[in-house]
C-alpha cells in the first residue's frame, strides 16, 4: 500500500524557509517592506498596476465587496459551484447572493444563467475560475458592461493561468486570490486583491487597516501621531513573514503550473480508455492552472463506490464542491434544491483526483494503476 496521497498540497523549499527566517531577524514583522515587495511582484506577475495583500482569500473577497459599496438591497451573482466563501462575502455586506448555474462540461459559470439572474438590484458578477481554468472573460465582461455591473474574478484557483494570452489577474475589474496551502502558491494563510483602478486599490488598503488613512509606517516616516479613520474597516493585514514566503513561492509558480499540466495530461491520456471517468473540458485559448483535477463519473452510485475504493487505497480523493446554497446556513436563508440543476447533478458525480506540483511520478503511477483497477 502506498503512503497517503492527498488531493493537494503545498511545497516549501529551503530557500522559502530562509526568506522567512530573514524577516524574523529584521525590524518589521508586519506592515513592513516585504508586504509592498510582495504586492509589487504580484502586480507585475498579473501585468496589473495595483495589488493589495491581505490575511486570506475570504478577507480579499470581503474587501472587494466593501470597495464596491455592496450593501443591503443589492444582489451579487455568484456561481453555485464554488467554495462557500465566495457567497459568504456577499452576505457579510448584508446583500443577497444570487446563484448562477454552471456549464456541464467545464463547471464554469454559465453566461446564459448569469443573464437570467440579472435584475434591477444586481450590482456585481463574481466569476470563479473553477479548478484553475479561467472563465470566458471576454463574454463575461461584455455582459457586465451591457448591464453596468462590476465583474469580480474569484481567482483563488487560477493564479498562474491565462486567457487568450492574458494572465489571470488582468481579466476583470477586481481579481481575488488566496494563498492557503492547497492553492497555487502559499503564504500559510493569505490573500490579495488586484485592481486596475487606483482609487479602488487605495480604498482596499484603507479597509484592510481599520479604515485608517495612513498605516503605521507612513505615520512613522512623517513624524506625526495623527491618523484619521474615514471608513469602517477591518484588521485584514498580512505579515511580512507571510509575504516573504509569498515572494519566494511566486518565483516558482510558472514551473509549478507546467508540472500540474503534465500530471493532468497523464490523467487525461489514461481516461481516453476509461469510459466511466471523464475529465472536465478545457476550452481552447486558456492556460489552466489545474488547482484541482476534477473528473465526472456516470452516476452518484459509481462515484460513491469509486470514492471509497480510492480512499481505501490511501488516495485522498475529494469532492469540490457541494453547491453553496445546499449548505444548511443557506437553506435557512430560503434557498433550496433545484435552483441550479447542472451544479447539483455534477455534485453527485464528481471527484477530485490528487494533483499538486510536488507530486512524484510514482504517486501518479500508483493513482493511475488504482483507477484502471477500478475500471476493470
Ligand atoms: C480558497 C478559496 C476561497 C477562500 O480563500 P481563503 O484564503 O481560504 O480564505 C475563496 N474562493 C475560492 C474559490 C476558494 O477556493
Amino acid at each position: 500500500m502506498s503512503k497517503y496521497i492527498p488531493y493537494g498540497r503545498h511545497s516549501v523549499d529551503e530557500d522559502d524557509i530562509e526568506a522567512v527566517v530573514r524577516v524574523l531577524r529584521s525590524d518589521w514583522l508586519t506592515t513592513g517592506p516585504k508586504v509592498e515587495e510582495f504586492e509589487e511582484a504580484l502586480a507585475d506577475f498579473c501585468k496589473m498596476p495595483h495589488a493589495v495583500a491581505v490575511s486570506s482569500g475570504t478577507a480579499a473577497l470581503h474587501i472587494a465587496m466593501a470597495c464596491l459599496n455592496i450593501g443591503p438591497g443589492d444582489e451579487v451573482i455568484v456561481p453555485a459551484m464554488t467554495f462557500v466563501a465566495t457567497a459568504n462575502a456577499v452576505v457579510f455586506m448584508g446583500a443577497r447572493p444570487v446563484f448562477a448555474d454552471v456549464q456541464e462540461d467545464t463547471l464554469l459559470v454559465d453566461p446564459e444563467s448569469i443573464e437570467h439572474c440579472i435584475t434591477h438590484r444586481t450590482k456585481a458578477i463574481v466569476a470563479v475560475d473553477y479548478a484553475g481554468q479561467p472563465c470566458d472573460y471576454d463574454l463575461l465582461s461584455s455582459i457586465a458592461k451591457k448591464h453596468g455591473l462590476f465583474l469580480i474574478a474569484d481567482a483563488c484557483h487560477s493564479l498562474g493561468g491565462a486567457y487568450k494570452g492574458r494572465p489571470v489577474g488582468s481579466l476583470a475589474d477586481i481579481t481575488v486570490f488566496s494563498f492557503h496551502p492547497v492553492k497555487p502558491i502559499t503564504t500559510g494563510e493569505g490573500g490579495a486583491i488586484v485592481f486596475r483602478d487606483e482609487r479602488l486599490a487605495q480604498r482596499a488598503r484603507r479597509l484592510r487597516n481599520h479604515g485608517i488613512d495612513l498605516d503605521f509606517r507612513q505615520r512613522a516616516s512623517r513624524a506625526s501621531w495623527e491618523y484619521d479613520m474615514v471608513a469602517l474597516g477591518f484588521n485584514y493585514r498580512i505579515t511580512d513573514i507571510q509575504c516573504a514566503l509569498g515572494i519566494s513561492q511566486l518565483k516558482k509558480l510558472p514551473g509549478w503550473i507546467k508540472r500540474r499540466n503534465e500530471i493532468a495530461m497523464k490523467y487525461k491520456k489514461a481516461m481516453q480508455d476509461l469510459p466511466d471517468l471523464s475529465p472536465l473540458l478545457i476550452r481552447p485559448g486558456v492556460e489552466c492552472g489545474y488547482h484541482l483535477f476534477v473528473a465526472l463519473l456516470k452516476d452518484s452510485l459509481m462515484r460513491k463506490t469509486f470514492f471509497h475504493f480510492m480512499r481505501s487505497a490511501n488516495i485522498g480523493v475529494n469532492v469540490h464542491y457541494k453547491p453553496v446554497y445546499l449548505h444548511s446556513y443557506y437553506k435557512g436563508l430560503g434557498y433550496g434544491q433545484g435552483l441550479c440543476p447542472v451544479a447539483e447533478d455534477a455534485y453527485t458525480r464528481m471527484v477530485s483526483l490528487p494533483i499538486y506540483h510536488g507530486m512524484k511520478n510514482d504517486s501518479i503511477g500508483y493513482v493511475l494503476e488504482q483507477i484502471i483497477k477500478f475500471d476493470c
Side-chain angles (χ1 to χ4, degrees), residues 250-262:
L250 188 60
K251 292 178 189 150
K252 303 172 199 179
L253 181 58
W256 286 349
I257 298 281
K258 267 204 200 101
R259 178 61 180 156
R260 285 174 179 272
N261 273 269
E262 276 170 23

Side-chain angles (χ1 to χ4, degrees), residues 139-260:
L139 182 53
L140 295 180
S141 301
S142 76
I143 295 172
K145 204 168 160 196
K146 187 167 85 189
H147 297 275
L149 307 173
F150 290 105
L151 179 61
I152 301 171
D154 179 338
C156 289
H157 294 185
S158 59
L159 179 62
Y163 168 84
K164 297 187 179 174
R166 285 132 59 192
V168 166
S170 69
L171 304 169
D173 302 318
I174 298 182
T175 302
V176 167
F177 295 112
S178 165
F179 309 123
H180 178 276
V182 295
K183 305 296 163 82
I185 64 166
T186 191
T187 58
E189 296 280 359
I193 320 147
V194 170
F195 300 91
R196 204 176 302 281
D197 185 295
E198 184 175 357
R199 289 189 48 197
L200 287 180
Q202 267 173 2
R203 207 181 288 173
R205 281 182 218 287
R206 247 189 348 241
L207 287 168
R208 136 181 99 176
N209 187 35
H210 308 282
I212 289 171
D213 61 349
L214 295 176
D215 73 20
F216 180 78
R217 207 154 56 108
Q218 289 168 311
R219 287 208 304 281
S221 71
R222 288 181 196 196
S224 163
W225 64 80
E226 200 175 25
Y227 63 83
D228 189 26
M229 184 189 128
V230 296
L232 183 64
F234 316 98
N235 176 356
Y236 279 166
R237 295 185 305 255
I238 187 169
T239 64
D240 285 62
I241 307 166
Q242 292 165 299
C243 289
L245 181 54
I247 294 162
S248 183
Q249 293 253 309
L250 188 60
K251 292 178 189 150
K252 303 172 199 179
L253 181 58
W256 286 349
I257 298 281
K258 267 204 200 101
R259 178 61 180 156
R260 285 174 179 272

